Amino acid sequence: MDAFLTRDERRFREEIRDVIGRILPPDLARATRRGIHLSREQMALWNRLLHEKGWGAHHWPVEFGGPGWTPVQRFIFESECARADAPPTSVFGLYLVGPTLYTFGTEAQKARYLPPILSGDEFWCQGYSEPDAGSDLASLRTVAERTEGGWVITGQKAWTTEGHFADFMICLARTNAAVKPQAGLSLFIIDMKSPGITLHPVLTIDGGHSVNTVFLDGVTVPDDALIGDVDKGWTYAKFLLAHERTNNAQVHRSRREFERLKARFTGERRTDPGLRRRFALVETDLAALEVTVLRILIDQTQGREPGPEASIVKVIGSELQQTISELAMDVLGERALELPHDTADDEAAGWTERHLFRRVVTIYAGTNEIQKTIIAGTTLGLR
Amino acid sequence: MRRDAERLAEDTMLRDSVRAFLAERSPWTHVPRTAADLDGIRAEAAELGWFMMGLPEAAGGVGSDLEQVLSVIEEAGRALHPEPLVADLLLAPAVLPADRPELGQLAEGGLRFCYVRAGVTAVRTGSDEIALKGTGGLALGADRATHAIVAVDEDEPALFLVPLSPGRARTVRLIDGRTAARIAFDDIASQDVLVLARGPAARDKIAALDDLAVSAAVFDAVGALAGGLELTVDYLNQRRQFGQTLGSFQAVRHKMAEVYCSLETLRSLAMWSAAAIAANAPERATAARAAKIGLAVHGLPAAGKMIQVSGGIGVTEEYRIGHVYKRLTVAAGLDGSAEAKIEELASEILGEGEKAR
């Protein structure tokens, strides 16, 4: 993609590469290759190391602690982190809660919650989905009732990623049953140590534990736990999901993994014309996605609103993640069938775990079917 | 892609004017155009300065950059304009020395170029005499071209400019309404042949021309596909079955969302190849290969999907979407198949496939 980068941006890339090479502990890079579910300590360590450089939240505005990079510089930074096998930083605090709070939160909320997200000292989880409210999020049934000086929240949250080690939950709950479903929701901050919270782990098909079911049984939160205005939660949540989307292209991780897969593609398999063809097609699609993401970011850098193409990167990026890990399974052969925890082959373990877990990427953050419906309606104008 | 506000305004003005001109002077019809009709449009386009766009300033150029010239190609694709423009607007200006009189004639729209890529060899017949042998591959516009840019890519690569006498080549009508020809070079007198480049310099120029030709063909396809998408969205919002618009059915909506994903994927690949050409970046050949592959694996199936969602009308000769499909079929099939590019790309990223270890 060098053709799109300025001389300054290429120099910036050298600087970033140099620093990451010095500060990333090798065992953290190895853990990132080995599996998909990193511990809180591993993610926090990387977040802290970045924070010491002033890069803890590279996409936040300067006034809240961001480094003041352009969108293209952020693209380069993310690409370099992936290239070095740096662990992904936690999505929820940095990408969802941070932007929500600095956009809609009070001064007190910003002062209390943003710094520990930035430094990696506090972790968050997202309490949106429920057993009967997945794609149809607005039908959620968790209720928040007014009490003296606060709210009492009761309900059940599903697919709560990192809930088992999060300090706080950003929770969407119904505050008004009398209006249409979208209009009666509000957004709350819940301390995960509050009485009334029970957590059940949910194992995913890769055998890992990253998601949970969370029961909220009369959990009391203070008045200042409310984010923004009462009954405006849907608007804020939609804003949040929009933030999730570009991140969900995951183009840098895909590039890194694909480059590693090329290196692993050795021996007799390397002459297999069917596999070679698939490699060439992935190369094409990955390059195209990199350009599409850059198109959006260059527009932003030049002060233009992202064009309609911004709506497609989640669909394309998530499908490509799956295509790459499917290819990996065929490249690895029988090795890929061994239980990741048992195998001595680190790289194979990582691929197998990612492959299985990544069936989720076309489902989370708005299923790809929902995304296509949005593209057809909002972007194309089909009626 | 990085344009300041002034350049962007210029881009938009150019694109709008080209679109408006083609909509008025070359409205789509399934009826094949007459040569006289196309000549008339060409003369007006020349007055608008189209053929000066790609020229160096010394040769009367107007300082347009590659992105702008490609936007004209894209608009021609959108209109399914049957006149081949790539060799005139891009290839000839890229290889002819700035002092050649042909460039001045080209600027006025008086010459037509074609690019002959395969099937020709050059033989030394004297100390400084060259004779061309063989028949070139199918070249767009070669039936009406006044000059051929001929690439000989063998042990001693060379690039020639060959004036063509009228009626030399039999017109081959293509499925998409455009015309082409295979030119036989055996009896062309050597004194008529201008050597544009020879040796390693020729090899570099041919590679650059090939990438430029592919990039332009993909921009043409992007335009055709984008025009087809607009047409199809309109149609789906009007046509009703079971008491509702076709555009309201989820099966149709999702297919159209996929078409849009394919279109933007192809556009990104086209933009990458253009940026790599403009910067003469090391990734230039890779990007052109990827663009051609994208044309075949994303563009063409997307055009097919639009025929499907249009229903029966989509396969009729009088409706435009089938012609979009044919335009892309021709683009994907000319100048080497996408399958060959896929194998080239595989070898580039994986090595030749000899047994490792």
Side-chain angles (χ1 to χ4, degrees):
Chain A
M1 292 307 112
D2 278 20
F4 290 112
L5 302 183
T6 64
R7 193 188 299 267
D8 284 349
E9 284 162 351
R10 289 200 292 269
R11 196 174 303 127
F12 175 80
R13 179 171 62 191
E14 296 307 316
E15 289 164 21
I16 296 288
R17 185 172 298 182
D18 178 57
V19 172
I20 290 176
R22 280 187 283 113
I23 66 172
L24 176 65
D27 55 337
L28 215 46
R30 180 169 172 265
T32 307
R33 288 192 291 272
R34 180 73 168 74
I36 199 165
H37 308 295
L38 296 179
S39 68
R40 170 168 172 158
E41 288 66 33
Q42 287 167 324
M43 284 191 278
L45 171 59
W46 181 234
N47 205 5
R48 196 149 54 240
L49 291 168
L50 289 178
H51 182 54
E52 283 165 12
K53 290 278 157 199
W55 302 345
H58 67 277
H59 56 291
W60 288 12
V62 176
E63 57 175 314
F64 303 114
W69 291 338
T70 66
V72 174
Q73 286 177 314
R74 303 201 299 251
F75 176 94
I76 292 167
F77 173 76
E78 288 165 13
S79 153
E80 288 303 314
C81 285
R83 187 176 176 277
D85 295 324
T89 43
S90 178
V91 174
F92 303 99
L94 286 168
Y95 284 89
L96 306 183
V97 177
T100 303
L101 286 181
Y102 64 63
T103 311
F104 304 111
T106 62
E107 290 310 313
Q109 284 169 338
K110 290 180 213 172
R112 163 63 188 85
Y113 296 111
L114 293 180
I117 293 175
L118 200 60
S119 62
D121 289 323
E122 284 180 354
F123 277 68
W124 287 70
C125 63
Q126 180 190 36
Y128 280 21
S129 298
E130 297 183 5
D132 290 323
S135 290
D136 182 13
L137 187 58
S139 70
L140 64 84
R141 293 206 294 246
T142 294
V143 172
E145 286 178 315
R146 261 249 176 255
T147 61
E148 189 82 23
W151 301 81
V152 176
I153 301 176
T154 303
Q156 184 183 345
K157 291 293 174 184
W159 318 124
T160 312
T161 300
E162 296 174 10
H164 52 300
F165 57 64
D167 301 289
F168 297 96
M169 170 189 278
I170 183 164
C171 176
L172 198 59
R174 189 164 304 287
T175 39
N176 188 345
V179 292
K180 67 172 193 168
Q182 287 87 343
L185 302 173
S186 302
L187 210 49
F188 294 95
I189 298 166
I190 300 181
D191 186 331
M192 291 297 281
K193 289 184 292 295
S194 310
I197 295 183
T198 325
L199 217 115
H200 287 186
V202 175
L203 298 188
T204 42
I205 55 173
D206 57 296
H209 172 211
S210 57
V211 303
N212 307 273
T213 303
V214 180
F215 297 89
L216 305 164
D217 186 12
V219 178
T220 304
V221 298
D223 261 341
D224 62 6
L226 176 73
I227 299 173
D229 296 328
V230 179
D231 294 352
K232 289 280 163 57
W234 183 254
T235 318
Y236 308 148
K238 274 207 307 198
F239 166 86
L240 221 91
L241 291 173
H243 257 264
E244 238 181 321
R245 210 173 297 147
T246 1
N247 184 37
N248 276 330
Q250 287 293 336
V251 64
H252 306 295
R253 295 280 158 192
S254 287
R255 169 56 77 187
R256 173 57 177 166
E257 288 170 12
F258 186 55
E259 294 305 321
R260 293 191 64 80
L261 189 60
K262 284 180 195 167
R264 175 87 192 207
F265 187 45
T266 55
E268 287 192 12
R269 282 174 183 271
R270 205 173 172 97
T271 60
D272 182 316
L275 288 175
R276 291 172 67 81
R277 189 174 193 282
R278 284 164 67 188
F279 269 93
L281 294 179
V282 167
E283 182 74 46
T284 304
D285 288 355
L286 193 48
L289 181 62
E290 286 167 333
V291 178
T292 306
V293 171
L294 263 175
R295 282 166 62 189
I296 297 165
L297 298 178
I298 288 176
D299 273 352
Q300 282 177 11
T301 303
Q302 298 199 323
R304 294 189 292 273
E305 285 296 305
E309 68 274 8
S311 63
I312 65 176
V313 297
K314 196 267 165 171
V315 172
I316 295 177
S318 57
E319 287 177 2
L320 190 55
Q321 277 183 284
Q322 293 177 344
T323 305
I324 292 171
S325 76
E326 285 157 12
L327 178 57
M329 294 299 279
D330 289 335
V331 166
L332 291 166
E334 287 181 357
R335 272 289 187 194
L337 307 181
E338 297 178 22
L339 201 60
H341 285 289
D342 288 359
T343 182
D345 184 338
D346 265 6
E347 183 123 5
W351 276 114
T352 305
E353 195 171 294
R354 284 193 295 269
H355 171 69
L356 293 172
F357 184 75
R358 282 207 177 135
R359 300 318 307 180
V360 78
V361 298
T362 46
I363 299 169
Y364 67 23
T367 66
N368 283 19
E369 286 70 26
I370 292 282
Q371 302 292 350
K372 285 179 186 178
T373 298
I374 293 171
I375 293 167
T378 310
T379 309
L380 298 182
L382 284 169
R383 294 188 291 272
Chain B
M1 200 147 63
R2 284 164 197 265
R3 319 284 275 176
D4 59 31
E6 196 184 326
R7 200 70 167 172
L8 272 175
E10 209 179 278
D11 292 351
T12 308
M13 212 159 71
L14 171 69
R15 190 182 283 276
D16 288 351
S17 79
V18 172
R19 189 175 296 186
F21 172 75
L22 287 172
E24 195 201 320
R25 287 295 283 115
S26 186
W28 182 76
T29 160
H30 71 282
V31 181
R33 309 289 182 79
T34 64
D37 186 18
L38 290 178
D39 287 347
I41 298 170
R42 187 182 178 89
E44 287 180 45
E47 277 174 33
L48 293 172
W50 286 19
F51 299 99
M52 297 177 187
M53 288 187 66
L55 296 180
E57 307 227 1
V62 290
S64 304
D65 61 16
L66 179 65
E67 226 169 297
Q68 292 176 331
V69 181
L70 286 170
S71 76
V72 174
I73 302 292
E74 185 186 332
E75 288 304 318
R78 169 184 281 268
L80 302 181
H81 184 54
E83 174 99 328
L85 295 171
V86 175
D88 295 335
L89 265 58
L90 286 163
L91 306 186
V95 289
L96 262 63
D99 60 355
R100 290 295 302 181
E102 288 90 350
L103 289 179
Q105 294 166 270
L106 170 64
E108 289 159 14
L111 301 183
R112 293 168 191 269
F113 290 82
C114 65
Y115 182 40
V116 177
R117 184 61 190 88
V120 187
T121 56
V123 186
R124 275 182 195 279
T125 51
S127 62
D128 213 27
E129 295 271 284
I130 291 277
L132 297 179
K133 297 274 172 219
T135 300
L138 193 61
L140 268 185
D143 53 320
R144 301 190 69 214
T146 58
H147 292 77
I149 299 161
V150 182
V152 174
D153 197 3
E154 51 187 20
D155 293 344
E156 199 197 357
L159 196 61
F160 304 101
L161 180 69
V162 182
L164 303 169
S165 46
R168 152 172 297 280
R170 186 179 68 84
T171 297
V172 177
R173 293 192 300 148
L174 303 181
I175 54 176
D176 67 348
R178 289 185 287 183
T179 58
R182 298 180 182 87
I183 300 174
F185 289 91
D186 297 293
D187 53 350
I188 288 185
S190 60
Q191 62 270 22
D192 290 341
V193 173
L194 175 70
V195 179
L196 295 169
R198 219 179 246 178
R203 175 159 292 142
D204 292 348
K205 276 198 170 165
I206 292 169
L209 273 189
D210 285 349
D211 293 343
L212 189 54
V214 166
S215 183
V218 176
F219 270 95
D220 181 282
V222 165
L225 210 51
L229 182 78
E230 263 180 36
L231 174 81
T232 306
V233 167
D234 282 348
Y235 180 71
L236 295 175
N237 281 340
Q238 282 164 24
R239 165 92 173 155
R240 298 176 75 86
Q241 290 285 276
F242 304 101
Q244 55 192 96
T245 59
L246 291 185
S248 67
F249 290 98
Q250 193 175 58
V252 172
R253 294 168 78 83
H254 283 189
K255 229 172 208 150
M256 287 299 286
E258 290 158 14
V259 167
Y260 182 66
C261 289
S262 297
L263 167 63
E264 291 306 321
T265 294
L266 187 59
R267 192 191 299 279
S268 287
L269 290 169
M271 289 168 80
W272 182 32
S273 71
I277 289 166
N280 198 19
E283 68 212 44
R284 193 193 70 205
T286 314
R289 256 177 219 131
K292 177 86 184 216
I293 293 168
L295 174 59
V297 303
H298 293 294
L300 198 50
K305 278 180 187 170
M306 288 197 283
I307 294 180
Q308 173 66 24
V309 295
S310 299
I313 193 175
V315 294
T316 60
E317 183 70 1
E318 289 186 26
Y319 190 64
R320 182 151 63 99
I321 200 65
H323 296 263
V324 171
Y325 183 77
K326 291 193 278 188
R327 182 96 164 190
L328 266 70
T329 302
V330 169
L334 277 178
D335 301 323
S337 74
E339 283 303 322
K341 298 288 174 196
I342 291 172
E343 185 40 47
E344 278 176 34
L345 184 57
S347 294
E348 185 192 326
I349 63 174
L350 302 168
E352 284 306 322
E354 69 283 328
K355 290 196 172 114
R357 280 178 292 171

